[in-house]
Amino acid sequence: MTVPNLARMNDYYFGGKDNFAADREAAEQILKIAPEVRLLARENRAYTARVVEFLAGEGIEQYISIGNGLPAECNTHGALRAVAPHAKLVYVEHDPVVLVHAQALIAGAPGTVVIKGHVLRPKKIITHPEVRALLDVDRPIAVLIFGTLHFFGAEVFDAVSVFRDALAPGSYLALSHAVFDSRPEAAGPMVEIYQKIFNRTNDPSRNREDLLPFFDGLRLAEPGLVDIREWRTGATVSSAAAEFVYVAGGVGLKPPAPE
């Protein structure tokens, strides 16, 4: 209760009540540097719904969603059930706070399991008995990683490559990641706060171009890797909005292997 927790900080950004004084204090430090973070948290949730709708429209029936946050703030489950009620969904959580909430509220729902796992240990996720029992790894799967990768250093690129290699052709990788192209001066202070929260020394701040290796070997769906406010909304972000810290997102298809 006295140590800031990322999931509870996000809950505070959403105006939720599942947070403590330490979470609110840390979140307010972030908001002083980049007040747009509160809006971006909501935009990321809307982007999640659009991505799920797109993937369901592409015929994807199996999903692995990693690092969702507290169930109250994550709409992957609700968005998926609205467009593909019979799809199979694996939630992967490492944060014990989130895991307890997710297991209480989501586990047991038809076609859904919640497992403990970490984005940096992809092989354990892919080979997890409950994942293998629910999903057919020889058929297309969509791996969703929203709002998580920007908390880790260079090792996260290797982790994502393991997912890419393990997926069957026709699978998708969808992600969102905070970037600092338009406000590089905000990167240092924000990273410093999160370093203290996680007791780390790595600097995971990146620009949009730095994210392209996540999609190596994949075919980016239109409109590519863009500000999530532009991803399949028909909108163009104004020059004023572009001055904010923003979140980039994209969806990549694993094409069939060449003959």
Side-chain angles (χ1 to χ4, degrees):
M1 293 174 58
T2 60
V3 178
N5 174 275
L6 180 60
R8 295 194 304 252
M9 288 172 64
N10 284 335
D11 178 75
Y12 177 70
Y13 295 143
F14 281 112
K17 298 180 180 179
D18 292 321
N19 52 77
F20 300 112
D23 309 308
R24 295 189 286 272
E25 181 179 347
E28 285 296 337
Q29 291 180 52
I30 293 292
L31 291 171
K32 285 180 181 178
I33 301 168
E36 61 268 26
V37 166
R38 178 169 275 140
L39 173 62
L40 292 175
R42 294 184 172 90
E43 293 289 354
N44 196 54
R45 183 162 58 178
Y47 166 72
T48 298
R50 294 196 302 276
V51 168
V52 168
E53 182 178 5
F54 165 75
L55 293 171
E58 294 297 302
I60 301 299
E61 299 176 343
Q62 303 186 111
Y63 297 79
I64 299 176
S65 186
I66 303 172
N68 302 278
L70 291 168
E73 78 200 29
C74 169
N75 70 336
T76 305
H77 184 268
L80 182 60
R81 292 292 169 247
V83 295
H86 302 297
K88 297 176 181 179
L89 175 61
V90 175
Y91 276 107
V92 183
E93 292 295 348
H94 178 71
D95 187 319
V97 173
V98 179
L99 190 63
V100 169
H101 278 260
Q103 288 174 333
L105 297 176
I106 299 174
T112 305
V113 298
V114 179
I115 68 167
K116 183 176 182 180
H118 199 290
V119 68
L120 296 183
R121 291 183 277 279
K123 290 183 179 178
K124 288 189 175 182
I125 294 173
I126 296 165
T127 60
H128 193 285
E130 289 188 72
V131 174
R132 291 300 178 115
L134 183 66
L135 305 184
D136 181 353
V137 296
D138 294 323
R139 296 178 56 244
I141 295 172
V143 174
L144 316 176
I145 315 177
F146 299 132
T148 297
L149 298 173
H150 47 243
F151 295 112
F152 302 100
E155 69 276 11
V156 79
F157 288 93
D158 289 334
V160 170
S161 74
V162 173
F163 285 115
R164 291 198 313 263
D165 292 344
L167 293 173
S171 296
Y172 286 87
L173 168 69
L175 61 82
S176 66
H177 190 300
V179 291
F180 293 91
D181 303 60
S182 53
R183 283 201 60 195
E185 77 283 356
M190 290 180 69
V191 168
E192 184 178 353
I193 293 171
Y194 282 116
Q195 285 174 333
K196 290 179 180 178
I197 293 172
F198 294 113
N199 193 27
R200 297 176 185 159
T201 58
N202 63 301
D203 180 358
S205 58
R206 301 180 179 102
N207 293 333
R208 176 194 165 279
E209 293 296 319
D210 298 327
L211 309 187
L212 290 173
F214 284 125
F215 296 98
D216 283 351
L218 304 183
R219 187 183 302 152
L220 275 167
E222 291 294 335
L225 180 61
V226 297
D227 187 316
I228 59 172
R229 293 167 290 186
E230 296 180 309
W231 199 88
R232 294 185 176 260
T233 61
T236 299
V237 174
S238 69
S239 58
E243 294 175 0
F244 293 160
V245 172
Y246 73 95
V247 177
V251 179
L253 166 68
K254 183 172 183 177
E259 297 182 359

